[in-house]
Amino acid sequence: MDEPTYTTIFEPFRIHSVEPLRMSTRAERRGHVERASYNLFQLRAEHVLIDLLTDSGTGAMSRDQWAAIQHGDESYAGSPSFYVFEEAVRELFPFRHVIPVHQGRAAEKILFSAVGGPTKVVPNNTHFDTTRANVEASGALAVDLVIPEGKDPASDHPFKGNMDLAALEGLLSARGDDVPCVMVTVTNNSGGGQPVSLENLHGVRRLCNRYGKPLYLDACRFAENAWFIREREEGHGERDVRDIVLEMAGLADGMTMSAKKDPMGNIGGWLAMDDDVLAQQCRNTLILTEGFPTYGGLAGRDLEALAQGLTEAVAHDYLRYRIRSTAYLGEALQERGVPVLTPIGGHAVYVDARALAPHLDPLQYPGQAVSVALYEMGGIRTSEIGTVMFGRHPDGTETPASMDLVRLAIPRRVYTQSHIDYVIEVCEKVAEQADRLPGYRIVDEPKALRHFTAAFEPIR
Ligand code: F0G
């Protein structure tokens, strides 16, 4: 008998435990955001209705992950939970050394403390903010070499996360001796959650071979990237996502990982590599800053949850729903005339705030203006990915970022379609008033990673 086909793609789970949402009024939110100095990171989460600040650590764990937590073994050294975790990682990323850390930036810190340093240059398609900060904290220069389409919000290139191979070759031939490793971020978060093609990864690998450089993946959203390869790249439509992930891993010499993303953890990460000498050096730092190499800043129960989460991250039903439900939000905004970065990314929809509020100069932070308005109008918390995040440079100067985006990041398995329908309505209302939004100025900021703690005031 023929399998009947339906067009609705629904959540491949049902809800087992619920968390209350706290309703609020616009007047209350106006007070909350003013007290937070117009920095949404400074809000109390209970004052947020729909939290799209990040997809990091905010996912709902499954029944099987909660069950796995009961197997957690909290031995200081040699915990069986570590071996369960290591095996689950190595089934997808068969590197010789898997070093657990408490989250992605700890892996970055350990790696760049070992391979970075003054005079060094690290190329990436686009460094995430913590990656850039850790490269720079070592004294090295972080260079973003995404293809030109990756910086054009309207380009519909299917793999806007791709590395610009000519630019990478240019850097390697000019400053090869100073490059300790090449990094590729999958998917390219700061560039709109855009995927990197397998063909491009093969191209990067060839250049790394030619210049004798190791290739590291920043692999937080590896499964979403692999799903895009399956959907968009010629010849991969029938492959198992696990198989695509193995091919991606096989092209690299190591990886940094925030397990708070695709691996469905509320905390966790790892650093992995084949290089025995470097691994020893990294484990030595790990013991100083994170913990013993068989737990590395995590509890045994966290390691168990991640091992189970990894098996769920690569399930096709889940990924089909995940990518489709993000696109649902993006397409609805497009239909309502809200400018969004296209194609729609994997974990988030990015509103083009510069296009939505063209009356604001980039140095008046259009992304901040739109994020504050989304909170005030509807209690939706988003994050600015633009001039606030990337505009200030280590030498103290400030320039506009290449794009001013507002990211609506979708926590995994948390919100239903009606939550998202509400988000669509709020965005539409903000877009109607976008030409009247005030710009912002920064009245106080730290030296690095200013977006987390800077204080703003509206320019009236
Ligand atoms: N790399 C990428 C591409 C990321 O998106 C993140 C975190 C990290 C590294 C660092 O990982 O947070 O576990 O230390 N991104 C989060 C976000 C915070 O909201 O996009 P971490």
Side-chain angles (χ1 to χ4, degrees):
M1 250 201 293
D2 283 349
E3 183 66 22
T5 54
Y6 302 104
T7 53
T8 308
I9 295 175
F10 55 83
E11 291 80 357
F13 51 79
R14 55 188 185 185
I15 295 164
H16 170 262
S17 170
V18 299
E19 287 181 273
L21 289 178
R22 300 154 209 86
M23 300 301 168
S24 57
T25 63
R26 181 178 178 183
E28 286 167 346
R29 293 190 294 263
R30 191 183 272 245
H32 294 320
V33 77
E34 195 186 327
R35 283 187 292 280
S37 303
Y38 300 94
N39 185 331
L40 303 184
F41 284 100
Q42 301 297 320
L43 287 170
R44 285 178 177 235
E46 71 245 40
H47 295 152
V48 174
L49 261 175
I50 307 282
D51 206 344
L52 308 184
L53 183 68
T54 178
D55 63 321
S56 180
T58 52
M61 289 213 293
S62 66
R63 173 193 66 188
D64 294 339
Q65 284 181 287
W66 286 110
I69 276 177
Q70 295 299 326
H71 292 272
D73 179 299
E74 306 304 340
S75 303
Y76 187 94
S79 160
S81 300
F82 170 73
Y83 297 103
V84 169
F85 163 81
E86 185 189 42
E87 192 182 322
V89 171
R90 297 190 69 226
E91 268 174 25
L92 293 168
F93 303 98
F95 296 114
R96 288 161 58 81
H97 304 279
V98 178
I99 301 172
V101 294
H102 78 278
Q103 64 182 89
R105 65 198 71 181
E108 295 162 0
K109 173 78 183 161
I110 292 171
L111 178 64
F112 293 113
S113 302
V115 305
T119 77
K120 298 281 170 65
V121 190
V122 180
N124 199 325
N125 44 355
T126 312
H127 288 84
F128 181 66
D129 60 353
T130 60
T131 323
R132 169 174 289 279
N134 274 307
V135 169
E136 289 173 353
S138 80
L141 185 68
V143 187
D144 293 340
L145 299 178
V146 72
I147 54 170
E149 292 88 338
K151 290 187 214 155
D152 171 5
S155 155
D156 60 4
H157 191 290
F159 290 101
K160 283 170 87 169
N162 281 357
M163 183 80 96
D164 183 333
L165 296 177
L168 178 61
E169 170 135 48
L171 178 74
L172 289 170
S173 70
R175 295 198 55 184
D177 289 348
D178 300 330
V179 175
C181 65
V182 174
M183 280 202 97
V184 178
T185 304
V186 293
T187 55
N188 189 24
N189 182 13
S190 304
Q194 301 292 321
V196 177
S197 70
L198 264 181
E199 188 191 8
N200 188 253
L201 275 177
H202 277 277
V204 174
R205 177 74 257 169
R206 277 193 296 275
L207 287 175
C208 287
N209 287 348
R210 192 171 314 150
Y211 289 88
K213 300 296 169 192
L215 170 59
Y216 277 76
L217 297 177
D218 175 346
C220 306
R221 300 178 180 87
F222 71 96
E224 292 171 3
N225 198 94
W227 184 260
F228 280 124
I229 288 172
R230 188 177 188 275
E231 281 198 326
R232 295 185 185 165
E233 195 165 349
E234 183 89 34
H236 302 290
E238 300 298 318
R239 289 178 75 181
D240 189 323
V241 160
R242 283 177 179 275
D243 189 42
I244 297 174
V245 173
L246 276 168
E247 185 172 338
M248 291 162 63
L251 293 168
D253 300 281
M255 67 192 294
T256 58
M257 183 66 159
S258 169
K260 302 171 72 170
K261 282 85 169 176
D262 277 355
M264 310 277 189
N266 297 130
I267 195 73
W270 66 85
L271 172 62
M273 62 193 63
D274 285 328
D275 183 328
D276 298 336
V277 176
L278 181 62
Q280 188 56 45
Q281 197 182 343
C282 289
R283 285 198 177 102
N284 291 343
T285 313
L286 182 88
I287 293 172
L288 282 182
T289 60
E290 292 280 296
F292 191 74
T294 58
Y295 71 86
L298 293 170
R301 63 181 79 99
D302 299 325
L303 294 167
E304 295 273 357
L306 294 180
Q308 173 60 30
L310 274 174
T311 68
E312 297 172 13
V314 291
H316 286 198
D317 284 348
Y318 162 71
L319 284 169
R320 186 175 293 113
Y321 141 78
R322 169 76 177 156
I323 299 300
R324 182 63 215 133
S325 57
T326 306
Y328 172 82
L329 169 59
E331 286 164 13
L333 294 184
Q334 268 179 303
E335 279 160 24
R336 286 161 182 75
V338 180
V340 295
L341 194 145
T342 55
I344 308 303
H347 68 294
V349 174
Y350 295 67
V351 172
D352 182 351
R354 205 176 278 176
L356 186 61
H359 64 293
L360 297 177
D361 185 86
L363 296 177
Q364 298 177 327
Y365 313 130
Q368 193 68 19
V370 171
S371 313
V372 171
L374 288 170
Y375 174 71
E376 193 186 305
M377 294 298 289
I380 298 167
R381 178 157 66 170
T382 54
S383 64
E384 191 264 12
I385 305 227
T387 304
V388 174
M389 190 178 270
F390 297 116
R392 182 72 73 197
H393 309 293
D395 66 2
T397 57
E398 188 183 34
T399 54
S402 54
M403 298 188 269
D404 276 295
L405 305 174
V406 170
R407 186 183 72 170
L408 285 70
I410 317 291
R412 292 171 182 75
R413 308 188 292 204
V414 170
Y415 292 115
T416 65
Q417 187 169 337
S418 45
H419 292 119
I420 297 300
D421 287 336
Y422 169 78
V423 171
I424 294 164
E425 256 191 89
V426 175
C427 289
E428 196 175 10
K429 192 149 282 187
V430 168
E432 282 163 18
Q433 311 174 1
D435 58 347
R436 276 161 295 166
L437 295 180
Y440 283 81
R441 71 168 73 88
I442 293 184
V443 292
D444 187 32
E445 66 180 281
K447 268 204 151 54
L449 296 174
R450 64 176 177 173
H451 51 290
F452 291 122
T453 54
F456 299 84
E457 75 186 14
I459 304 168
R460 302 274 182 210

